[in-house]
Amino acid sequence: LLRAGDAEGAEAEWDAAVATGLAMYGSADGRNRTSLSSYLAAAYYNLACAQSLQSKPTKGLASLREAVRHGYKDYGWILDDGDLEAVRGSADFRQWFDETAPPSVADRLRGSR
């Protein structure tokens, strides 16, 4: 849906995927919990993209934070992904990214100001 240009529909789908993943995550252990954490990282990241494309930077940043909390680590792609443009435009994003990303990647954001 996201690639088809239906960001609203994609947001609903990824939100449902997050809810399902979280429900399963609560009772999982060991490898299942690790796999679900990876799943949630991807689901939250795509949810952030869908929210950003709808000019919902606050929601998008909250989802992006959850993606990272669940293990998303491609900070370089966070800076390059066009879907996250609205999120990257917020001062809250810049502060969070500066505090969260590895210094070598955070320096890229500082250099673009």
Side-chain angles (χ1 to χ4, degrees):
L1 292 171
L2 200 57
R3 294 295 149 230
D6 183 3
E8 187 176 340
E11 180 182 15
E13 290 287 323
W14 287 115
D15 196 42
V18 164
T20 299
L22 287 173
M24 295 169 63
Y25 188 76
S27 63
D29 60 2
R31 286 185 183 177
N32 289 335
R33 193 168 178 90
T34 300
S35 293
L36 282 168
S37 192
S38 294
Y39 170 83
L40 284 166
Y44 271 118
Y45 183 88
N46 285 295
L47 179 59
C49 290
Q51 291 164 330
S52 181
L53 286 168
Q54 296 176 82
S55 298
K56 298 178 180 179
T58 302
K59 285 185 175 187
L61 179 56
S63 295
L64 195 56
R65 287 179 182 192
E66 286 300 310
V68 168
R69 190 173 77 77
H70 283 283
Y72 189 87
K73 298 288 185 228
D74 194 348
Y75 293 98
W77 183 238
I78 289 172
L79 290 181
D80 293 335
D81 190 342
D83 291 349
L84 293 174
E85 189 173 330
V87 171
R88 284 193 306 270
S90 74
D92 289 339
F93 170 82
R94 289 186 293 276
Q95 180 180 351
W96 169 78
F97 195 83
D98 193 47
E99 294 169 356
T100 306
S104 61
V105 183
D107 287 347
R108 283 183 51 203
L109 183 62
R110 282 187 224 111
S112 68
R113 289 184 199 167

